């Protein structure tokens, strides 16, 4: 790849008139507001320079001026395809720092929704990724499934997207027993939907030809670039934080970590499809054996007291005010990572024992995976840039933060 | 797991399965049969359940868990239940709520002189509802907030105040959801017959026990 680039930029080539193109920030295939400055030699891409920052909202700085609980809605808007997975990660970081024990049921509900969020993000990937390389109909089918899932999550959390559902110490509301059959039915029906996506894409010659061999990354290169998630696993490196650093209920669950062989766009697609099947496996185990108990910590030190007591007892009333306005995190530093749909999502929190974090760094997988765009595109054809972008699947809300 | 602890061995106990990567068959290379199969698939979908809703002819009827716009609950005498404690104003992540506290001759002693929610800012997270110690602010089931000017979205007391009878479902849901494990007096949900007989609020002059 490098040799080809060097050959192309030699001045002895009379046809080396280079064309500079600005792709984005308003381009349908850039998944938000990404600008890619492309230098082309005919159809060949000599240089691809991603420009980020168009969606920068200063979230890390914002965290320093709000309380911990108030920052949860902001984490929703990082990777907006899997809002609750971001909330779970942030909650785990705070709980690790403050040493809060969450009950088993809360952990099970969190695992459950984290897997639903992975499915929802991968569904978007199948839809938009297919759309980017020309498969229009699969986009509609993927979105239909996602809408059905959102209807179920709506009855759990009250909102379809950007659900503010996770609290420090647990979740906001218990998973109603009446909802479990609906979730089970959706999960049971889902493998047939994956088969439909595969029928439309895997053996589709247009899709296959456009994805095969595009944006190849070697395992060595992938680790050097810091790739995580499906993009790393597609190169054959089977690192999944759910296995490598287990959190929540993952140690007790049976699932496989699928890996690819060649590390091209087609492998990234196959890995994501297989991950969806593994998600279904995890969800079935969880839904069949949902532990009973409380959905939020019983110890009232860090959580709001039950409403009934707030109405009738002065002590709980004062406690309610104290928790809302004056909950302090003990001083310390913590780095807590989870395996989000795109890779290792982590929060690095520094607390000085105040109401808000002294520093909150978000290790967003999209931002770091985006580095791979350059080696993927350079030396390839211009039309394959879109396939590379689609297969990387970065979310600009998370990239720019 | 502390950050000093080394990363567990990458070699997983269970071997990672390779994804099935195959080359296209002759029929797939030839393109016609997969194409026809996909066409048949798409055509059969025309006779399946319709996935979309024909809004605005078909409207969504949200359940009790739905977060619509936040509204204020009125007492039986029509005044707001709100005692202007300012908890919702404090917790509101987008800072959409603005309360001007004042005094009242009612037994609750404090009441908002002005209570303004900027619906352009509101993200309907229901944090206000969760922290409210008086069940005075709850999420309604209204999801259509329209207006011609920015001022139309800044709702004042007059626009926000709803009788408790109009919010029976949500109030019952709030009771049930935030009750958690406590089954003491005052924690029961109101009867589902639509008549709002709240042990805390009806027939009692002073809602809270005196300490």
């Amino acid at each position: 790849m490098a040799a080809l680039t060097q050959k192309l930029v030699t001045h002895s080539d009379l046809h080396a008139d280079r064309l500079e193109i600005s792709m984005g920030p308003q381009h349908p295939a850039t998944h938000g507001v990404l600008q890619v400055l492309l230098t082309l030699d005919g159809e060949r891409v000599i240089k691809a320079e991603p420009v980020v920052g168009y969606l920068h909202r200063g979230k890390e700085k914002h965290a320093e001026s709000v309380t911990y609980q108030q920052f949860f809605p902001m984490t929703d808007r990082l990777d907006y395809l899997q809002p609750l997975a971001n909330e779970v990660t942030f909650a785990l970081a705070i709980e690790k720092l403050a040493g809060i024990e969450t009950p088993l049921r809360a952990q099970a509900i969190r695992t459950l929704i984290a897997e639903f969020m992975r499915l929802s993000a991968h569904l978007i990937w199948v839809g938009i990724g297919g759309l980017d390389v020309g498969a229009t109909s699969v986009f509609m089918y993927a979105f239909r499934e996602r809408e059905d899932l959102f209807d179920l999550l709506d009855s759990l959390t009250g909102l379809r997207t950007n659900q503010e559902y996770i609290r420090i110490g647990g979740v906001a509301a218990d998973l109603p027993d009446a909802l479990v059959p609906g979730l089970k039915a959706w999960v049971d029906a889902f493998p047939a939907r994956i088969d439909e996506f595969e029928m439309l894409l895997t053996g589709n010659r247009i899709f296959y030809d456009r994805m095969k061999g595009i944006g190849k990354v070697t395992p060595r290169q992938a680790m050097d670039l810091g790739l995580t998630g499906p993009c790393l696993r597609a190169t054959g490196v089977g690192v999944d934080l759910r296995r490598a650093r287990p959190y929540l209920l993952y140690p007790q669950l049976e699932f496989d970590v699928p890996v690819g062989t060649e590390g091209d766009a087609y492998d990234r697609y196959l890995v994501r499809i297989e991950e969806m099947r593994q998600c279904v496996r995890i969800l079935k185990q969880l839904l069949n054996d949902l532990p009973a108990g409380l959905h939020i910590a019983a110890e009232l030190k860090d959580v709001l007291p039950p409403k009934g007591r707030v109405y009738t007892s002065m002590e709980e009333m004062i406690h309610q005010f104290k928790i809302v306005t004056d909950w302090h995190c003990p001083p310390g530093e913590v780095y807590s990572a989870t395996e989000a749909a795109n890779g290792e999502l982590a929060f690095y929190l520094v607390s000085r024992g105040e109401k808000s974090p002294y520093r909150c760094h978000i290790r967003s997988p999209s931002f770091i995976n985006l580095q791979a765009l350059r080696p993927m595109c350079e030396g390839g054809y211009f039309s394959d840039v879109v396939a590379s972008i689609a297969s990387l699947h970065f979310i600009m809300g998370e990239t720019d933060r | 797991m502390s950050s000093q602890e080394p990363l567990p061995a990458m070699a997983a106990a269970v071997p990672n399965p390779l994804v099935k990567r195959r080359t296209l068959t002759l029929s797939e290379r030839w393109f016609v049969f997969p194409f026809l199969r996909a066409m048949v698939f798409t055509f059969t979908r025309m006779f399946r359940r319709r996935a979309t809703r024909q809004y605005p002819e078909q409207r969504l009827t949200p359940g009790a868990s739905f977060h619509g716009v936040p509204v204020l609950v009125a007492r039986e005498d029509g005044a707001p239940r709100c005692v202007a404690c300012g908890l919702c104003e404090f917790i509101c992540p987008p800072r959409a709520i603005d309360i001007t506290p004042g005094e009242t001759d009612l037994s609750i002693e404090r009441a908002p002189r002005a209570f303004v929610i900027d619906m352009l800012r509101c993200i309907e997270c229901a944090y206000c509802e969760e922290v409210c110690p008086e069940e005075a602010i709850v999420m309604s089931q209204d999801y259509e907030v329209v207006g011609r000017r920015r001022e139309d979205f800044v709702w004042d007391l007059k626009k926000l105040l709803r009788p408790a009878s109009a919010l029976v479902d949500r109030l019952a849901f709030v009771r049930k959801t935030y009750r958690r494990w406590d089954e003491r007096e005052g924690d029961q949900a109101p009867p589902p017959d639509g008549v709002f007989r709240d042990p805390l609020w009806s027939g009692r002059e002073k809602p809270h026990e005196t300490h």
Side-chain angles (χ1 to χ4, degrees), chain B residues 51-75:
Chain B
T52 49
R53 193 176 280 113
Q54 301 299 310
Y55 182 84
E57 282 80 28
Q58 294 173 357
R59 275 163 204 275
L60 176 81
T61 341
S65 68
F66 183 76
H67 293 184
V69 295
V71 292
L72 291 176
V73 188
R75 287 158 55 99

mmCIF file of all heavy atoms in Angstrom, chain B residues 51-75:
data_model
loop_
_atom_site.group_PDB
_atom_site.id
_atom_site.type_symbol
_atom_site.label_atom_id
_atom_site.label_comp_id
_atom_site.label_asym_id
_atom_site.label_seq_id
_atom_site.Cartn_x
_atom_site.Cartn_y
_atom_site.Cartn_z
ATOM 1 N N ALA B 51 -45.426 -1.462 8.815
ATOM 2 C CA ALA B 51 -44.515 -1.076 9.898
ATOM 3 C C ALA B 51 -44.677 0.382 10.292
ATOM 4 O O ALA B 51 -44.291 0.781 11.374
ATOM 5 C CB ALA B 51 -43.074 -1.342 9.476
ATOM 6 N N THR B 52 -45.262 1.170 9.402
ATOM 7 C CA THR B 52 -45.349 2.605 9.684
ATOM 8 C C THR B 52 -46.749 2.973 10.167
ATOM 9 O O THR B 52 -47.712 2.242 9.963
ATOM 10 C CB THR B 52 -45.036 3.423 8.421
ATOM 11 O OG1 THR B 52 -45.814 2.902 7.353
ATOM 12 C CG2 THR B 52 -43.572 3.362 8.098
ATOM 13 N N ARG B 53 -46.811 4.123 10.788
ATOM 14 C CA ARG B 53 -48.086 4.630 11.281
ATOM 15 C C ARG B 53 -48.429 5.867 10.450
ATOM 16 O O ARG B 53 -47.563 6.683 10.161
ATOM 17 C CB ARG B 53 -47.938 4.996 12.752
ATOM 18 C CG ARG B 53 -49.241 5.244 13.453
ATOM 19 C CD ARG B 53 -49.023 5.508 14.925
ATOM 20 N NE ARG B 53 -48.824 4.287 15.678
ATOM 21 C CZ ARG B 53 -47.689 3.949 16.275
ATOM 22 N NH1 ARG B 53 -46.651 4.743 16.206
ATOM 23 N NH2 ARG B 53 -47.576 2.833 16.940
ATOM 24 N N GLN B 54 -49.710 5.981 10.076
ATOM 25 C CA GLN B 54 -50.104 7.077 9.196
ATOM 26 C C GLN B 54 -50.422 8.310 10.027
ATOM 27 O O GLN B 54 -51.576 8.707 10.162
ATOM 28 C CB GLN B 54 -51.302 6.668 8.325
ATOM 29 C CG GLN B 54 -51.050 5.462 7.446
ATOM 30 C CD GLN B 54 -49.923 5.693 6.472
ATOM 31 O OE1 GLN B 54 -49.881 6.697 5.768
ATOM 32 N NE2 GLN B 54 -48.963 4.781 6.423
ATOM 33 N N TYR B 55 -49.387 8.904 10.572
ATOM 34 C CA TYR B 55 -49.553 10.123 11.355
ATOM 35 C C TYR B 55 -49.876 11.276 10.406
ATOM 36 O O TYR B 55 -49.314 11.326 9.328
ATOM 37 C CB TYR B 55 -48.258 10.392 12.111
ATOM 38 C CG TYR B 55 -48.287 11.589 13.007
ATOM 39 C CD1 TYR B 55 -48.787 11.492 14.282
ATOM 40 C CD2 TYR B 55 -47.815 12.808 12.560
ATOM 41 C CE1 TYR B 55 -48.818 12.586 15.104
ATOM 42 C CE2 TYR B 55 -47.848 13.901 13.370
ATOM 43 C CZ TYR B 55 -48.345 13.790 14.641
ATOM 44 O OH TYR B 55 -48.376 14.864 15.455
ATOM 45 N N PRO B 56 -50.760 12.237 10.692
ATOM 46 C CA PRO B 56 -51.476 12.408 11.961
ATOM 47 C C PRO B 56 -52.839 11.726 12.026
ATOM 48 O O PRO B 56 -53.526 11.893 13.017
ATOM 49 C CB PRO B 56 -51.653 13.916 12.024
ATOM 50 C CG PRO B 56 -51.761 14.339 10.612
ATOM 51 C CD PRO B 56 -50.933 13.392 9.815
ATOM 52 N N GLU B 57 -53.224 10.963 10.978
ATOM 53 C CA GLU B 57 -54.535 10.284 11.065
ATOM 54 C C GLU B 57 -54.508 9.231 12.177
ATOM 55 O O GLU B 57 -55.452 9.119 12.945
ATOM 56 C CB GLU B 57 -54.888 9.627 9.724
ATOM 57 C CG GLU B 57 -55.402 10.590 8.664
ATOM 58 C CD GLU B 57 -54.288 11.338 7.981
ATOM 59 O OE1 GLU B 57 -53.176 10.792 7.902
ATOM 60 O OE2 GLU B 57 -54.511 12.483 7.550
ATOM 61 N N GLN B 58 -53.412 8.446 12.203
ATOM 62 C CA GLN B 58 -53.276 7.462 13.280
ATOM 63 C C GLN B 58 -52.298 8.010 14.303
ATOM 64 O O GLN B 58 -51.126 8.174 13.991
ATOM 65 C CB GLN B 58 -52.715 6.146 12.725
ATOM 66 C CG GLN B 58 -53.630 5.440 11.780
ATOM 67 C CD GLN B 58 -52.936 4.248 11.166
ATOM 68 O OE1 GLN B 58 -51.773 3.973 11.395
ATOM 69 N NE2 GLN B 58 -53.689 3.525 10.354
ATOM 70 N N ARG B 59 -52.808 8.268 15.467
ATOM 71 C CA ARG B 59 -51.937 8.822 16.486
ATOM 72 C C ARG B 59 -51.483 7.746 17.446
ATOM 73 O O ARG B 59 -52.182 6.764 17.664
ATOM 74 C CB ARG B 59 -52.657 9.930 17.249
ATOM 75 C CG ARG B 59 -52.542 11.241 16.554
ATOM 76 C CD ARG B 59 -53.578 12.209 17.078
ATOM 77 N NE ARG B 59 -53.850 13.214 16.081
ATOM 78 C CZ ARG B 59 -53.133 14.315 15.934
ATOM 79 N NH1 ARG B 59 -52.132 14.555 16.725
ATOM 80 N NH2 ARG B 59 -53.432 15.183 15.003
ATOM 81 N N LEU B 60 -50.347 7.985 18.020
ATOM 82 C CA LEU B 60 -49.812 7.072 19.018
ATOM 83 C C LEU B 60 -50.541 7.286 20.339
ATOM 84 O O LEU B 60 -50.747 8.424 20.752
ATOM 85 C CB LEU B 60 -48.314 7.343 19.186
ATOM 86 C CG LEU B 60 -47.561 6.565 20.240
ATOM 87 C CD1 LEU B 60 -47.200 5.195 19.706
ATOM 88 C CD2 LEU B 60 -46.303 7.304 20.643
ATOM 89 N N THR B 61 -50.974 6.208 20.962
ATOM 90 C CA THR B 61 -51.528 6.339 22.313
ATOM 91 C C THR B 61 -50.471 5.841 23.285
ATOM 92 O O THR B 61 -50.260 4.650 23.406
ATOM 93 C CB THR B 61 -52.809 5.496 22.466
ATOM 94 O OG1 THR B 61 -53.315 5.197 21.182
ATOM 95 C CG2 THR B 61 -53.830 6.193 23.306
ATOM 96 N N PRO B 62 -49.774 6.744 23.925
ATOM 97 C CA PRO B 62 -48.678 6.297 24.784
ATOM 98 C C PRO B 62 -49.182 5.627 26.057
ATOM 99 O O PRO B 62 -50.280 5.926 26.533
ATOM 100 C CB PRO B 62 -47.927 7.587 25.106
ATOM 101 C CG PRO B 62 -48.728 8.711 24.584
ATOM 102 C CD PRO B 62 -49.967 8.184 23.945
ATOM 103 N N GLY B 63 -48.353 4.732 26.576
ATOM 104 C CA GLY B 63 -48.686 4.087 27.842
ATOM 105 C C GLY B 63 -48.315 4.981 29.003
ATOM 106 O O GLY B 63 -47.825 6.095 28.829
ATOM 107 N N ALA B 64 -48.540 4.474 30.217
ATOM 108 C CA ALA B 64 -48.281 5.296 31.400
ATOM 109 C C ALA B 64 -46.796 5.569 31.579
ATOM 110 O O ALA B 64 -46.401 6.553 32.203
ATOM 111 C CB ALA B 64 -48.824 4.609 32.639
ATOM 112 N N SER B 65 -45.938 4.700 31.010
ATOM 113 C CA SER B 65 -44.501 4.893 31.200
ATOM 114 C C SER B 65 -43.953 5.994 30.303
ATOM 115 O O SER B 65 -42.809 6.402 30.462
ATOM 116 C CB SER B 65 -43.765 3.589 30.900
ATOM 117 O OG SER B 65 -43.848 3.299 29.526
ATOM 118 N N PHE B 66 -44.748 6.472 29.380
ATOM 119 C CA PHE B 66 -44.253 7.417 28.376
ATOM 120 C C PHE B 66 -43.897 8.771 28.996
ATOM 121 O O PHE B 66 -44.612 9.275 29.862
ATOM 122 C CB PHE B 66 -45.331 7.604 27.308
ATOM 123 C CG PHE B 66 -44.933 8.493 26.169
ATOM 124 C CD1 PHE B 66 -44.080 8.029 25.189
ATOM 125 C CD2 PHE B 66 -45.404 9.789 26.082
ATOM 126 C CE1 PHE B 66 -43.709 8.839 24.137
ATOM 127 C CE2 PHE B 66 -45.032 10.612 25.040
ATOM 128 C CZ PHE B 66 -44.179 10.127 24.063
ATOM 129 N N HIS B 67 -42.793 9.332 28.547
ATOM 130 C CA HIS B 67 -42.407 10.667 28.994
ATOM 131 C C HIS B 67 -42.869 11.692 27.965
ATOM 132 O O HIS B 67 -42.239 11.852 26.924
ATOM 133 C CB HIS B 67 -40.886 10.782 29.119
ATOM 134 C CG HIS B 67 -40.306 9.935 30.205
ATOM 135 N ND1 HIS B 67 -38.975 9.968 30.506
ATOM 136 C CD2 HIS B 67 -40.862 9.059 31.044
ATOM 137 C CE1 HIS B 67 -38.740 9.132 31.492
ATOM 138 N NE2 HIS B 67 -39.871 8.565 31.832
ATOM 139 N N GLY B 68 -43.965 12.364 28.271
ATOM 140 C CA GLY B 68 -44.343 13.500 27.444
ATOM 141 C C GLY B 68 -43.743 14.761 28.026
ATOM 142 O O GLY B 68 -42.723 14.710 28.714
ATOM 143 N N VAL B 69 -44.374 15.891 27.787
ATOM 144 C CA VAL B 69 -43.839 17.119 28.369
ATOM 145 C C VAL B 69 -44.190 17.156 29.861
ATOM 146 O O VAL B 69 -45.237 16.672 30.265
ATOM 147 C CB VAL B 69 -44.389 18.371 27.655
ATOM 148 C CG1 VAL B 69 -43.924 18.406 26.232
ATOM 149 C CG2 VAL B 69 -45.900 18.430 27.741
ATOM 150 N N PRO B 70 -43.318 17.716 30.687
ATOM 151 C CA PRO B 70 -43.630 17.794 32.112
ATOM 152 C C PRO B 70 -44.716 18.842 32.373
ATOM 153 O O PRO B 70 -44.726 19.900 31.750
ATOM 154 C CB PRO B 70 -42.306 18.208 32.746
ATOM 155 C CG PRO B 70 -41.551 18.878 31.661
ATOM 156 C CD PRO B 70 -41.987 18.255 30.379
ATOM 157 N N VAL B 71 -45.640 18.502 33.281
ATOM 158 C CA VAL B 71 -46.700 19.451 33.658
ATOM 159 C C VAL B 71 -46.802 19.499 35.179
ATOM 160 O O VAL B 71 -46.269 18.640 35.874
ATOM 161 C CB VAL B 71 -48.069 19.043 33.057
ATOM 162 C CG1 VAL B 71 -48.066 19.180 31.558
ATOM 163 C CG2 VAL B 71 -48.450 17.635 33.472
ATOM 164 N N LEU B 72 -47.487 20.500 35.649
ATOM 165 C CA LEU B 72 -47.672 20.649 37.095
ATOM 166 C C LEU B 72 -49.037 20.104 37.491
ATOM 167 O O LEU B 72 -50.015 20.263 36.775
ATOM 168 C CB LEU B 72 -47.564 22.126 37.494
ATOM 169 C CG LEU B 72 -46.185 22.747 37.371
ATOM 170 C CD1 LEU B 72 -46.255 24.226 37.712
ATOM 171 C CD2 LEU B 72 -45.199 22.052 38.267
ATOM 172 N N VAL B 73 -49.075 19.469 38.653
ATOM 173 C CA VAL B 73 -50.323 18.897 39.143
ATOM 174 C C VAL B 73 -50.993 19.911 40.067
ATOM 175 O O VAL B 73 -50.340 20.501 40.929
ATOM 176 C CB VAL B 73 -50.058 17.586 39.900
ATOM 177 C CG1 VAL B 73 -51.365 16.889 40.233
ATOM 178 C CG2 VAL B 73 -49.166 16.675 39.094
ATOM 179 N N ALA B 74 -52.305 20.079 39.867
ATOM 180 C CA ALA B 74 -53.053 21.031 40.700
ATOM 181 C C ALA B 74 -53.637 20.325 41.912
ATOM 182 O O ALA B 74 -53.927 19.134 41.871
ATOM 183 C CB ALA B 74 -54.168 21.663 39.877
ATOM 184 N N ARG B 75 -53.763 21.064 42.981
ATOM 185 C CA ARG B 75 -54.472 20.559 44.156
ATOM 186 C C ARG B 75 -55.965 20.530 43.855
ATOM 187 O O ARG B 75 -56.405 20.993 42.805
ATOM 188 C CB ARG B 75 -54.236 21.505 45.340
ATOM 189 C CG ARG B 75 -52.862 21.446 45.936
ATOM 190 C CD ARG B 75 -52.583 22.742 46.672
ATOM 191 N NE ARG B 75 -53.605 23.039 47.663
ATOM 192 C CZ ARG B 75 -53.464 22.787 48.964
ATOM 193 N NH1 ARG B 75 -52.343 22.286 49.408
ATOM 194 N NH2 ARG B 75 -54.410 23.073 49.819
#
